[in-house]
């Protein structure tokens, strides 16, 4: 069995029945690597100024040689998942984990667990009540099996407000009018008066153009003058997001044409499952505006850079996987 793999709410909550066996999921089997205790010590020493290893970082090749899982162990995990009817979709070159997709019923059978729904904190959450089982040949080589429960739905934003209130969601990606073209040139009156600013408050500034942003960061002397040679030419800039907007290239083309920026093609690396599960509880559509905003902003400040976009198939662990893939394969110079 794999320890530490049963969420606490599966024991404390009230079971509401079996989960939908035909539902789709992605499981991520994380491997321990060849020397986990040595890796833990390395990480401590890298940031301990008293250690002779302080800031002596490893190359990718050095890391894989010393700490990556054995290729045979990765192959064994892939074979195990495939034999259970799950489709292996991705393995990073460092072998840190194996992603596979399938139905809830297939995952339950593969790991010898139940998949039930539990009522907990006002939510209906899927979970396994038993520790997942793996072949004895993989004992000690698998750290964790992700995707067998809905624990990520319990994550909430950190609250630092003095009154204990959560901040409300934003209102989309447009600034409602009127707006200020210069600081404070359009104002509004509020009742009661705001503590810090009084009753008269400057209206939000209008959106800045790419040229104005470049001037603000010292990349142009004036938006009517030619830009500096610092255009990002020859540099690969990586952008990671959950999901991948199907209109991201068209959005960038329209933005570039509107503001007179050079047209460029985005290099996309999308993890399996992004387009196969278009509707799910993680709200991929809600991320699309953010993704286009990120790409447009980078193109504004570095109009001749190569844009490399990596999208995960949800906003939890696979988002990290998209980042790991970009680093592991050195797809970009800066992220």
């Amino acid at each position: 069995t794999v320890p530490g793999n049963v969420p606490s709410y599966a024991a404390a909550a009230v079971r509401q029945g079996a989960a939908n066996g035909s539902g789709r999921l992605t499981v991520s089997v994380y491997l321990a690597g060849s020397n986990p205790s040595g890796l833990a010590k390395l990480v401590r020493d890298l940031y301990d100024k008293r250690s002779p290893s302080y800031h002596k970082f490893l190359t990718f090749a050095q890391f894989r040689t010393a700490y990556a899982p054995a290729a045979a162990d990765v192959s064994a995990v892939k074979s195990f998942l495939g034999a259970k009817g799950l489709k292996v979709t991705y393995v990073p070159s460092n072998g840190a984990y194996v992603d596979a997709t399938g139905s809830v019923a297939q995952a339950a059978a593969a790991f010898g667990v139940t998949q039930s729904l539990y009522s907990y904190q006002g939510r209906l959450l899927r979970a396994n009540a038993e520790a997942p089982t793996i072949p004895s040949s993989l004992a000690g080589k698998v750290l964790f099996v992700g995707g067998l429960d809905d624990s990520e739905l319990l994550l909430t934003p950190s609250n630092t407000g003095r009154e204990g209130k959560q901040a409300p969601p934003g209102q989309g990606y447009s600034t409602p009018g009127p707006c200020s073209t210069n600081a404070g040139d359009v104002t509004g009156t509020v009742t009661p008066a705001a503590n810090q600013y009084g009753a008269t408050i400057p209206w939000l500034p209008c959106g800045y153009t790419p040229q104005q942003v470049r001037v603000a960061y010292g990349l142009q002397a004036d938006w009517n003058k030619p830009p500096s040679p610092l255009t990002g030419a020859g540099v690969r800039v990586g952008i990671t997001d959950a999901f991948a907007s199907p209109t991201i290239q068209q959005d960038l083309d329209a933005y570039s044409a509107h503001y007179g920026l050079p047209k460029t093609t985005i290099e996309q690396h999308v993890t399996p499952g992004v387009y196969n599960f278009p509707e799910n509880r993680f709200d991929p559509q809600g991320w699309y505006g953010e993704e286009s905003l990120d790409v447009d902003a980078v193109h504004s400040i570095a109009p001749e850079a190569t844009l490399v976009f990596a999208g995960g198939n949800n906003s939890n662990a696979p988002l990290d996987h998209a980042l790991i893939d970009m680093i592991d394969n050195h797809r970009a110079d800066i992220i």
Side-chain angles (χ1 to χ4, degrees):
T1 58
V2 182
N5 223 136
V6 179
S8 59
Y9 65 79
V14 178
R15 184 178 183 275
Q16 299 295 309
N20 177 15
S22 61
R24 304 285 295 174
L25 52 69
T26 296
V27 292
S28 300
V29 180
Y30 294 89
L31 283 84
S34 59
N35 185 5
S37 60
L39 177 58
K41 182 178 185 303
L42 170 69
V43 172
R44 289 194 301 269
D45 291 345
L46 281 174
Y47 298 96
D48 183 352
K49 293 183 178 180
R50 299 166 297 178
S51 170
S53 298
Y54 176 69
H55 276 197
K56 292 184 179 179
F57 300 104
L58 305 184
T59 65
F60 293 124
Q62 289 172 330
F63 177 85
R64 291 169 187 162
T65 299
Y67 302 108
D73 294 340
V74 176
S75 295
V77 170
K78 292 170 63 178
S79 297
F80 161 66
L81 295 170
K84 296 296 185 178
L86 297 170
K87 181 181 178 181
V88 174
T89 55
Y90 185 72
V91 182
S93 56
N94 63 12
Y97 56 86
V98 179
D99 280 347
T101 63
S103 68
V104 170
Q106 286 175 315
F111 294 99
V113 298
T114 56
Q115 288 283 270
S116 302
L117 296 177
Y118 296 87
S119 176
Y120 184 68
Q121 294 185 1
R123 295 175 179 267
L124 199 60
L125 305 174
R126 174 178 56 83
N128 52 301
E130 311 84 12
T133 58
I134 55 175
S136 57
S137 59
L138 292 175
K141 299 176 180 179
V142 172
L143 282 176
F144 190 79
V145 181
L148 295 179
D149 64 73
D150 283 337
S151 292
E152 72 276 355
L153 296 181
L154 296 173
L155 297 174
T156 57
S158 175
N159 178 24
T160 57
R162 289 178 297 176
E163 297 179 2
K165 296 180 180 178
Q166 296 289 353
Q171 296 183 357
Y173 295 91
S174 61
T175 301
C179 60
S180 297
T181 55
N182 300 291
D185 69 333
V186 178
T187 59
T189 302
V190 295
T191 301
N195 290 338
Q196 298 94 332
Y197 306 108
T200 302
I201 297 178
W203 206 266
L204 287 172
C206 305
Y208 292 116
T209 68
Q211 290 77 14
Q212 288 173 314
V213 172
R214 289 180 62 80
V215 169
Y217 281 90
L219 297 173
Q220 283 182 235
D222 185 276
W223 49 75
N224 294 317
K225 294 181 180 180
S228 79
L230 298 175
T231 61
V235 178
R236 296 172 61 83
V237 181
I239 302 166
T240 58
D241 270 303
F243 310 106
S245 168
T247 64
I248 195 167
Q249 183 66 61
Q250 296 96 308
D251 294 343
L252 180 61
D253 291 344
Y255 182 85
S256 300
H258 184 76
Y259 288 110
L261 298 173
K263 186 175 181 179
T264 188
T265 300
I266 306 169
E267 180 184 311
Q268 291 199 64
H269 298 274
V270 181
T271 58
V274 171
Y275 297 116
N276 296 335
F277 306 105
E279 293 287 350
N280 62 34
R281 65 181 183 273
F282 299 104
D283 183 30
Q285 291 79 9
W287 285 72
Y288 289 169
E290 174 69 28
E291 291 155 12
S292 292
L293 174 67
D294 292 345
V295 169
D296 293 346
V298 173
H299 189 50
S300 295
I301 208 74
E304 295 186 13
T306 299
L307 303 181
V308 184
F309 180 90
N313 62 23
N314 67 50
S315 53
N316 292 296
L319 177 55
D320 294 337
H321 294 182
L323 176 63
I324 291 169
D325 172 75
M326 185 173 286
I327 295 171
D328 195 44
N329 291 286
H330 205 147
R331 301 192 190 278
D333 302 307
I334 184 171
I335 299 175

